[in-house]
Amino acid sequence: MSLKTYQKKRDFNNTPEPSDEGSLASKAQDQQRFVIQRHAASRLHYDLRLESRGVLKSWAIPKGPSMNPVDKRLAIMVEDHPIEYLTFEGIIPKGNYGAGTMEIWDQGYWYAEGEHDDKQIDQALKSGNLKFRLEGDKVKGGFDLVRIQDEKDNSWLFIKRKDKYAVNEPYNSEDHQDGQKKIIDKIKQMIPALPPKGKTGFKYEFQPMLAKVKEEPFDHPEWLFEIKWDGYRTMAEIQDGKAGLFSRKGLKVGRKYPVIIEELEKLKYNAVVDGELVVLDEEGHANFQDLQYYGEKKDKNLCYYIFDLLYLEGYHLLNVPLKKRKELLKEILPPSNNLLFSDHITEHGKDFFEILQNKNLEGMIAKKADSSYQIGKRSPDWLKIKMVKTQEAVICGFTEPKGSRKHMGSLVLGLYDHGNITFIGHSGGGFSEQALKDALVKLKPLIRDESPFHEEVKTNTPVTWVEPELVCELSYTDWTKEGSLRHPKFLGFRPDKDPREVIQETETPDVQDILDPQNKNHDSKEISIEGIPLSFSNLNKLYWPEEGYTKGDLIAYYDAVAEYILPYLKNRPESLHRHPDGIKQKGFFQKDMRNPLPDWLQTTRIYSESADKVIHYLLCQNKATLLYMANLGCIEINPWNSRIHSLNHPDYIVIDIDPDGNSFEQITDTALTVKQVLDEAGLKGYCKTSGSSGLHIFIPLDARYEDAQARSFSHIIAQLTHERLPDFTSMERSPKKRKNKIYLDYLQNKTGQTLAATYSVRPKPGATVSTPLTWEELEEGVHPSMFTIKTVPKRLETVGDLFKGVLGQASDIEKALSRLQ
């Protein structure tokens, strides 16, 4: 493939476009990348680029891609582009070829239909008929590129195939339509696979996403930076012309702020938005105390700064990237003095923070530009960086006033910690006389006889204890070694905060923080995981050399999916499959964990008849253990099918569809035939990729049967499947004897037998992951290579855990056998 035409058309001294010849090419043929770029040149169009043989095959699509099979979009094939164009965004200066703004509209992986072979792709392009799948954020599923005339003509048609991702009505990528239809069209481009959903209960569905604390500002091209407003976090719902405001606790607060309700009801869309209620002073600064007294002084300038859009016209936007959600939000907000769009800058967080400091604003919120909205979670994708250290605290009592001070002395402060209240000091500063009087009025109804603290608290004067129900905000200079605030100063009450949710606001880096590519200057890191100290080593060691994935990438993956994989690991003995030098070196299994181990790790003793000894198996009970295993080089996680309390009673039956050079179409046919047998037996089966070349079918048992019964039944299912597909399946274990036939392995159902867990990584090229599938996906021809440590976390955010039905429910084997007979 040549880039001569591309290079001849460009003067690289005057254009920022890349000139390199494919140094970033993928090594794996079956997982090649694509990009669609929005190109605002002399005429707006969209450029589709498919990676093949170290270059990008490119088509210009004037009207942009459509997810409607009825639309046949003209696509003009242009010169090949270098691989570096996959990530190119920027402005091509006037006077250059293609002058105008180029931005990435979508990107992901593409898969040619049938065998993933460069020669076949070349032949398809030459014949003018390329069939393929796209796996992007906006465009998904099957497509055809068909040449209109002969091989010399560069005019093609870009056509969406009919599948579950297709939409029925056309939409226009140029976004030239007006009003509501334009907005809905944009949503469909972002999430074409998501069908319209009716409104569900707002209070139960949209708890706000929260930010973690970070001490210092930073620059990053993939982050947005917003002003941190000093007000009340508030969610708003607009439905059929009526609006509601809700506090963080889910309480309706609209009656207090009628001017905001009136403005929200001018919005011509059904929507749910997230923002901050503030009162602005004459200089445009948020005044928190004025907000507290707003009900008494309604002449104040009340504003609602809106920074996120969660739901719009039947579509949930939680998994749409933040930058796209904000684009939509800005378009739908009406002109208003009270509803304001909370704008942002990109990349330059340090400069922005300095500007905010000069303006005496409270601080800055940093957000990953492509982050999803994680309901009710405190996520490292959002970070708050404050000018002045502040801390919320629960008021647990107050002392008597001294000298000329009236009403009360100091507030006695605490924090909830695992259900108990911990003392963090007391504060008497920051009060006006009116504020002292108002505070006493709030506290008197809450007076109690006993201290709410479990430990004894020492104060200089007697304390009147109160029920720990009120929250206040304080400024402070530091924390003492004893865990108290140094120089705390009262800023105001926080009626919007739940006392039990108030935590110590200090920077606590998590695994994703320390493994961020920007922080890879150290090969070893230490961190606390759920209170457990953990050390990571050799983080930059290449585990997948061709892909460039490191041990750190493996640990980051298991951290990201911990909540999904742990239910399939807890209380199950683990056989550690270790690859401490990566996939190019031979790994080894380790069962016996007798070496000195950290005291927080849990093991179980099981006698092995074959080894005639007791083996100390590791139990993976929490995230810390999971990441400890990954740090040992456990690429693959191999739990038993049974738990320690019922070792001879498996929780599921496994049918392992193990190919021997067979096509994936035959593998898929075999899995669907297993499902057919299960359907006839009245049983529900769950399918996942093995993470290699095969598939696994699980049948839930919930430890109802002994392993011998489970194995006998799995033998019957395998035999019935083989009888229906005798040409390319086999019950013969030996590859030499079965001669390129798919092995229906039912012997995975013995006590102590292990195979790759659900969401386990495999030591295979591409860093593939054993991933649950829907039966519909299997019928549509998905491929195991699509599911990797880079794609599975985002998939889980969208589809959730498709395998959760495997645990906690039992199949009735007796009834199933009766139906099959």
Side-chain angles (χ1 to χ4, degrees):
M1 300 292 176
S2 172
L3 295 174
K4 289 182 179 178
T5 303
Y6 169 85
Q7 293 167 336
K8 186 177 181 180
K9 289 183 176 182
R10 290 161 176 83
D11 179 357
F12 294 107
N13 293 321
N14 294 317
T15 178
E17 295 169 280
S19 61
D20 296 335
E21 298 195 23
S23 62
L24 298 180
S26 290
K27 303 296 184 183
Q29 291 179 341
D30 58 354
Q31 194 174 36
Q32 300 186 111
R33 295 161 291 180
F34 84 90
V35 68
I36 299 176
Q37 287 154 321
R38 186 178 185 273
H39 191 177
S42 56
R43 290 188 179 181
L44 177 66
H45 65 276
Y46 289 71
D47 293 314
L48 168 67
R49 310 191 196 281
L50 306 178
E51 179 182 15
S52 179
R53 286 187 179 274
V55 298
L56 298 178
K57 310 303 292 185
S58 299
W59 289 261
I61 307 175
K63 291 188 176 181
S66 172
M67 295 297 290
N68 187 350
V70 173
D71 295 335
K72 293 177 174 58
R73 292 289 165 85
L74 177 66
I76 308 299
M77 193 173 192
V78 298
E79 71 276 7
D80 293 345
H81 282 54
I83 290 295
E84 279 71 16
Y85 230 93
L86 283 165
T87 58
F88 175 64
E89 287 187 296
I91 299 175
I92 301 171
K94 190 175 181 180
N96 286 272
Y97 176 76
T101 301
M102 181 81 74
E103 59 182 345
I104 294 174
W105 183 78
D106 198 14
Q107 57 190 346
Y109 293 95
W110 78 280
Y111 305 88
E113 187 176 87
E115 297 296 325
H116 304 288
D117 188 306
D118 281 334
K119 290 183 179 179
Q120 289 190 330
I121 294 172
D122 291 346
Q123 182 58 40
L125 290 170
K126 186 175 181 180
S127 65
N129 190 354
L130 178 64
K131 299 179 182 299
F132 58 99
R133 287 179 59 82
L134 293 177
E135 286 294 330
D137 294 324
K138 302 174 186 176
V139 290
K140 297 176 182 288
F143 291 85
D144 292 331
L145 271 167
V146 182
R147 188 185 294 114
I148 295 176
Q149 296 182 28
D150 57 27
E151 187 178 342
K152 296 180 181 179
D153 190 77
N154 63 354
S155 298
W156 298 61
L157 292 177
F158 182 68
I159 307 168
K160 179 75 186 81
R161 287 197 217 157
K162 292 181 180 179
D163 55 25
K164 71 173 186 177
Y165 299 110
V167 297
N168 294 324
E169 65 277 2
Y171 61 89
N172 195 322
S173 295
E174 293 182 18
D175 298 329
H176 62 266
Q177 301 180 43
D178 295 323
Q180 195 174 58
K181 189 176 186 304
K182 176 181 176 182
I183 299 297
I184 301 305
D185 287 347
K186 281 196 170 186
I187 299 173
K188 289 176 182 175
Q189 291 178 16
M190 293 179 184
I191 43 176
L194 184 63
K197 293 183 178 180
K199 170 177 167 280
T200 55
F202 161 70
K203 285 199 297 183
Y204 305 102
E205 189 171 2
F206 293 111
Q207 293 84 14
M209 180 174 172
L210 305 175
K212 290 194 170 187
V213 171
K214 188 170 180 61
E215 299 293 344
E216 299 293 333
F218 60 96
D219 293 336
H220 199 295
E222 296 174 7
W223 285 69
L224 309 178
F225 301 94
E226 303 172 349
I227 295 172
K228 183 183 185 302
W229 297 105
D230 192 9
Y232 290 154
R233 181 73 175 276
T234 314
M235 311 286 278
E237 178 187 57
I238 305 95
Q239 188 74 22
D240 300 328
K242 299 293 182 181
L245 278 176
F246 299 85
S247 71
R248 280 178 52 166
K249 301 177 185 178
L251 302 176
K252 291 183 177 180
V253 295
R255 289 184 180 180
K256 297 180 182 179
Y257 312 107
V259 64
I260 302 300
I261 293 292
E262 289 175 12
E263 292 299 300
L264 286 169
E265 289 178 349
K266 294 178 182 178
L267 192 62
K268 302 302 182 183
Y269 302 92
N270 296 324
V272 174
V273 298
D274 188 1
E276 193 94 359
L277 273 176
V278 299
V279 167
L280 299 180
D281 61 21
E282 293 179 356
E283 296 181 358
H285 295 166
N287 188 311
F288 184 67
Q289 290 197 350
D290 280 352
L291 178 63
Q292 289 189 301
Y293 292 105
Y294 177 74
E296 302 167 19
K297 303 174 182 179
K298 293 188 177 179
D299 58 326
K300 299 293 182 182
N301 183 18
L302 181 69
C303 295
Y304 183 35
Y305 272 101
I306 304 175
F307 49 71
D308 216 326
L309 177 64
L310 284 62
Y311 168 98
L312 184 64
E313 290 297 336
Y315 286 86
H316 289 219
L317 307 180
L318 304 176
N319 293 315
V320 171
L322 171 65
K323 59 184 178 182
K324 297 298 183 182
R325 299 199 305 270
K326 293 200 73 171
E327 286 175 11
L328 287 173
L329 173 63
K330 191 172 185 178
E331 287 201 45
I332 69 170
L333 288 180
S336 172
N337 293 324
N338 304 98
L339 295 188
L340 303 175
F341 176 69
S342 186
D343 215 334
H344 61 268
I345 64 103
T346 59
E347 186 173 351
H348 302 291
K350 291 180 180 179
D351 291 342
F352 187 55
F353 190 78
E354 185 177 346
I355 292 170
L356 301 184
Q357 277 184 315
N358 294 335
K359 291 182 175 292
N360 295 318
L361 293 173
E362 187 192 6
M364 179 174 78
I365 300 289
K367 299 178 180 179
K368 276 189 177 178
D370 64 350
S371 61
S372 60
Y373 194 98
Q374 301 169 48
I375 292 175
K377 290 186 178 180
R378 191 176 297 277
S379 170
D381 289 349
W382 288 14
L383 301 170
K384 52 185 173 184
I385 304 112
K386 299 179 180 180
M387 306 295 177
V388 178
K389 294 180 180 178
T390 63
Q391 172 66 50
E392 292 154 3
V394 182
I395 300 173
C396 300
F398 58 92
T399 62
E400 294 296 317
K402 286 184 177 181
S404 61
R405 191 178 180 108
K406 298 180 180 179
H407 308 297
M408 67 175 191
S410 297
L411 297 176
V412 181
L413 307 168
L415 288 177
Y416 273 96
D417 183 17
H418 295 91
N420 297 323
I421 296 182
T422 302
F423 177 68
I424 61 167
H426 45 80
S427 172
F431 288 97
S432 65
E433 184 174 338
Q434 183 63 44
L436 284 169
K437 182 179 179 181
D438 293 342
L440 188 60
V441 170
K442 292 177 185 291
L443 292 170
K444 277 187 174 180
L446 301 177
I447 291 175
R448 57 185 277 177
D449 295 331
E450 297 180 350
S451 167
F453 298 108
H454 285 269
E455 74 272 21
E456 184 179 351
V457 174
K458 294 182 180 180
T459 58
N460 295 329
T461 57
V463 178
T464 301
W465 303 111
V466 297
E467 297 291 342
E469 296 180 7
L470 293 180
V471 176
C472 66
E473 187 168 10
L474 309 114
S475 63
Y476 69 100
T477 58
D478 211 341
W479 288 88
T480 68
K481 292 182 179 179
E482 294 74 26
S484 294
L485 292 172
R486 196 184 299 277
H487 308 128
K489 182 179 178 181
F490 178 82
L491 298 177
F493 286 98
R494 297 302 310 232
D496 56 322
K497 300 294 178 74
D498 186 332
R500 292 184 176 273
E501 294 180 355
V502 174
I503 62 171
Q504 183 174 341
E505 294 201 354
T506 55
E507 183 173 1
T508 52
D510 60 14
V511 175
Q512 301 298 327
D513 290 333
I514 68 170
L515 297 179
D516 188 287
Q518 302 292 318
N519 301 326
K520 286 193 174 179
N521 53 331
H522 297 295
D523 206 27
S524 300
K525 299 287 176 68
E526 294 184 0
I527 196 170
S528 176
I529 306 292
E530 299 169 345
I532 298 171
L534 201 60
S535 296
F536 298 135
S537 60
N538 300 316
L539 292 171
N540 296 327
K541 180 180 284 188
L542 281 174
Y543 271 20
W544 286 269
E546 292 186 358
E547 292 78 9
Y549 299 159
T550 64
K551 179 180 176 180
D553 292 319
L554 176 73
I555 294 172
Y557 166 79
Y558 277 124
D559 174 70
V561 304
E563 66 177 293
Y564 297 99
I565 192 174
L566 282 172
Y568 304 99
L569 305 181
K570 287 183 179 179
N571 294 319
R572 301 179 191 278
E574 298 289 337
S575 294
L576 276 61
H577 193 188
R578 298 177 60 182
H579 287 76
D581 295 313
I583 69 168
K584 294 295 185 181
Q585 302 299 320
K586 189 174 181 180
F588 62 92
F589 278 93
Q590 180 180 358
K591 297 180 180 180
D592 203 356
M593 301 293 287
R594 288 178 182 269
N595 295 329
L597 298 173
D599 56 10
W600 52 268
L601 284 173
Q602 295 186 43
T603 59
T604 186
R605 295 160 52 92
I606 301 175
Y607 175 72
S608 168
E609 291 186 2
S610 60
D612 191 25
K613 68 176 184 178
V614 172
I615 295 177
H616 296 70
Y617 282 93
L618 184 66
L619 298 177
C620 188
Q621 307 295 77
N622 49 40
K623 183 194 284 191
T625 306
L626 177 64
L627 301 189
Y628 175 87
M629 292 165 64
N631 188 59
L632 290 178
C634 290
I635 292 176
E636 184 175 279
I637 309 294
N638 291 272
W640 284 30
N641 294 347
S642 55
R643 288 165 289 170
I644 54 177
H645 306 300
S646 52
L647 287 176
N648 296 319
H649 291 73
D651 287 299
Y652 36 76
I653 289 170
V654 181
I655 305 293
D656 182 3
I657 299 172
D658 186 8
D660 184 22
N662 304 86
S663 69
F664 196 67
E665 183 179 1
Q666 289 179 330
I667 299 167
T668 300
D669 288 345
T670 304
L672 293 173
T673 303
V674 173
K675 180 181 185 298
Q676 187 181 65
V677 174
L678 295 179
D679 289 343
E680 292 170 9
L683 300 179
K684 188 167 185 178
Y686 296 81
C687 180
K688 70 179 178 72
T689 68
S690 68
S692 181
S693 56
L695 296 170
H696 296 156
I697 312 296
F698 278 50
I699 307 163
L701 293 181
D702 197 28
R704 182 171 175 175
Y705 300 94
E706 294 183 357
D707 58 354
Q709 294 171 299
R711 189 166 61 255
S712 296
F713 185 68
S714 66
H715 189 183
I716 293 170
I717 299 297
Q719 185 65 48
L720 290 172
T721 303
H722 170 56
E723 289 173 2
R724 301 180 189 197
L725 299 172
D727 293 340
F728 56 83
T729 66
S730 173
M731 300 289 287
E732 177 58 56
R733 187 174 183 84
S734 171
K736 291 183 180 179
K737 293 181 180 180
R738 68 174 182 261
K739 296 179 181 179
N740 301 112
K741 289 188 176 182
I742 293 171
Y743 176 42
L744 295 166
D745 187 357
Y746 62 92
L747 295 177
Q748 296 287 352
N749 300 286
K750 296 187 295 185
T751 300
Q753 192 74 25
T754 65
L755 78 169
T758 310
Y759 306 118
S760 170
V761 188
R762 300 298 303 277
K764 304 288 182 181
T768 49
V769 172
S770 182
T771 307
L773 305 173
T774 65
W775 291 107
E776 291 75 18
E777 285 180 305
L778 202 61
E779 291 173 346
E780 291 165 3
V782 297
H783 194 273
S785 62
M786 296 161 59
F787 308 106
T788 71
I789 60 173
K790 298 300 182 182
T791 63
V792 168
K794 288 185 178 181
R795 172 181 169 86
L796 285 169
E797 290 178 5
T798 303
V799 304
D801 182 11
L802 299 177
F803 232 52
K804 58 186 176 183
V806 167
L807 300 178
Q809 61 176 319
S811 301
D812 192 324
I813 288 179
E814 291 86 351
K815 287 185 178 179
L817 287 171
S818 177
R819 293 189 183 100
L820 290 173
Q821 289 173 353

